Amino acid sequence: MSTNGASASKTLDAIKTLGFTHILMIPDSESDRLYRAIGSDPAISLITPTREGESMAIAAGLWTGGKKPLVIIQNTGLFEAGDALRGCGLGPKVPLRLMIGWRGYSGAVSGTGVIDSAYTYTEPILNGWGIPFWRILNDEDLPALGQMDRTAEETEMPAAVVTGYAFRD
Amino acid sequence: MIERMDVFRALTARRTDEIVVITMSATRQWPVVSKSDLDFDFLAFGMGHAGDFALGLALARPERKTIVFKGDGGQLMSLGSLVTKGAYAPGNLLVLFLENRTYETTGGQPFSERVDFDTLARGAGIEGGGATGKGKVERIETLAAFEEALPRLLTEEGPHFVILPVENNEEVPTISHSLHSGRVRTLRKALGVD
């Protein structure tokens, strides 16, 4: 049985293999290990904006200029960034690649505790905007990053992966 | 106060191969003085984020200046982005901050008279900051001073954040904005990306 949560180092390896040049990332408690792994790797440029809408616009500018950015945010930030995602991704057909932390997932599937509304609305929001997405719950799911990347490239539209647990070392 | 169209005319007189990002009301006046595939009409790309898009362009294309005409009302929608520029803006980013103290596009509604954008930009770390550690925040009050500063602003390593108090007494034409996706791909082609 797979361990819950993907390895931060293996996730970073997968990101680098796909040729991403910049990562726009706002830290959260579940992605902290990934944030530290990215920050300690000089091969990739890490930018930490102050809000997720900024991330979308900076990423769109990077892509327009010929770079390949990856936006890493939590689902709460996805909700905040709705207009920027519309304006900089969906409207102009900019293939933004998104990795979205699914806050509330682990609590919801364990059946313990209160259901976090951030969990509840994540997949319906992505479906509503027509953004294809794949779940990453452990290391075995990491190839989904490639699927997401290829889909964004082929459709010239945003695509996403959602990460269901905190990243491990 | 400087007439906004005079700012545009002064820049076009000196411009060579710089990218120029424009947004909101300015997108209706800039085409009167410029028709270039390196112009980027940001209207409807996301409220308050023209400067962020320009930051991404500047990071991607360090070989040329990226200039963005940023409005003060839009800046209020993304104040934190000043902090991002204070940390990451590269030397080829020039922000021409059009300060008219209103939300002009939506009818000229005022915002707090107490806002001081010079202080906000400095407090966000742009002065002496950006990726180069050479960021400059300055306020230019007259057209003559702007024309005098332009050769420096277009060649000197920045990033630069230039506050221009402006008014608009010229006609704002009605124009048809092109499709979002077309604007992005026109610029990519002009940059040699596609």
Side-chain angles (χ1 to χ4, degrees):
Chain A
M1 185 176 174
S2 300
T3 305
N4 287 341
S7 152
S9 61
K10 288 180 180 176
T11 302
L12 177 56
D13 287 344
I15 289 169
K16 289 166 66 176
T17 298
L18 292 169
F20 287 103
T21 59
H22 294 75
I23 292 181
L24 290 305
M25 184 171 189
I26 296 180
D28 62 79
S29 54
E30 294 181 337
S31 67
D32 177 58
R33 288 184 177 85
L34 179 61
Y35 177 82
R36 293 178 192 282
I38 294 167
S40 62
D41 192 324
I44 198 157
S45 296
L46 172 63
I47 298 171
T48 54
T50 62
R51 283 258 54 167
E52 292 78 1
E54 276 182 65
S55 298
M56 304 296 178
I58 296 169
L62 283 163
W63 180 82
T64 302
K67 300 299 182 185
K68 185 176 178 179
L70 174 65
V71 175
I72 304 179
I73 57 177
Q74 198 179 51
N75 49 3
T76 49
L78 172 71
F79 306 145
E80 171 74 16
D83 182 53
L85 176 54
R86 171 206 60 77
C88 292
L90 297 166
K93 303 186 189 308
V94 171
L96 297 176
R97 278 83 162 172
L98 312 173
M99 177 183 283
I100 301 165
W102 200 356
R103 197 186 85 181
Y105 176 82
S106 59
V109 298
S110 71
T112 59
V114 177
I115 298 295
D116 186 337
S117 62
Y119 161 78
T120 307
Y121 291 109
T122 299
E123 288 190 325
I125 286 286
L126 289 169
N127 283 326
W129 280 340
I131 297 174
F133 62 91
W134 293 262
R135 295 181 178 187
I136 293 180
L137 304 179
N138 51 51
D139 289 345
E140 293 171 11
D141 293 333
L142 283 174
L145 267 170
Q147 284 182 280
M148 177 273 288
D149 182 48
R150 283 192 300 278
T151 300
E153 185 70 25
E154 290 166 7
T155 62
E156 295 192 310
M157 289 291 280
V161 293
V162 292
T163 56
Y165 294 100
F167 285 92
R168 297 179 290 107
D169 283 328
Chain B
M1 299 282 272
I2 310 172
E3 183 68 25
R4 185 169 61 202
M5 280 297 283
D6 288 341
V7 171
F8 293 169
R9 291 186 186 102
L11 178 60
T12 53
R14 293 276 186 178
R15 179 188 182 193
T16 54
D17 65 347
E18 298 85 358
I19 301 167
V20 176
V21 178
I22 45 177
T23 191
M24 305 314 283
S25 300
T27 63
R28 295 163 63 184
Q29 286 183 313
W30 178 255
V32 173
V33 297
S34 175
K35 295 191 187 332
S36 166
D37 285 348
L38 292 171
D39 295 339
F40 190 84
D41 174 353
F42 192 80
L43 189 77
F45 269 72
M47 296 288 283
H49 291 300
D52 309 324
F53 182 80
L55 171 59
L57 277 174
L59 287 166
R61 309 302 302 206
E63 76 279 7
R64 70 173 82 211
K65 281 272 184 187
T66 294
I67 302 167
V68 55
F69 283 107
K70 177 74 177 166
D72 49 5
Q75 188 65 69
L76 292 179
M77 297 181 182
S78 186
L79 269 183
S81 68
L82 292 174
V83 176
T84 308
K85 291 178 182 64
Y88 298 104
N92 60 325
L93 180 65
L94 168 57
V95 180
L96 295 176
F97 189 85
L98 301 174
E99 183 193 63
N100 62 10
R101 316 296 300 187
T102 68
Y103 296 109
E104 180 186 352
T105 298
T106 53
Q109 301 91 341
F111 50 76
S112 170
E113 295 177 359
R114 296 179 56 77
V115 182
D116 179 344
F117 292 104
D118 190 295
T119 300
L120 284 170
R122 291 175 190 278
I126 295 175
E127 179 70 26
T132 62
K134 297 178 180 177
K136 289 184 180 174
V137 178
E138 52 195 294
R139 184 178 182 85
I140 297 177
E141 303 269 1
T142 67
L143 178 62
F146 180 61
E147 289 175 325
E148 183 181 343
L150 263 175
R152 173 178 59 81
L153 294 172
L154 293 175
T155 55
E156 182 181 73
E157 186 177 34
H160 291 90
F161 189 92
V162 181
I163 300 168
L164 300 166
V166 295
E167 60 186 355
N168 180 57
N169 295 302
E170 294 199 21
E171 181 184 358
V172 180
T174 300
I175 66 165
S176 298
H177 295 275
S178 58
L179 284 174
H180 288 169
S181 57
R183 287 181 238 165
V184 168
R185 281 153 184 84
T186 296
L187 182 54
R188 279 171 64 88
K189 189 173 179 182
L191 293 172
V193 175
D194 284 341

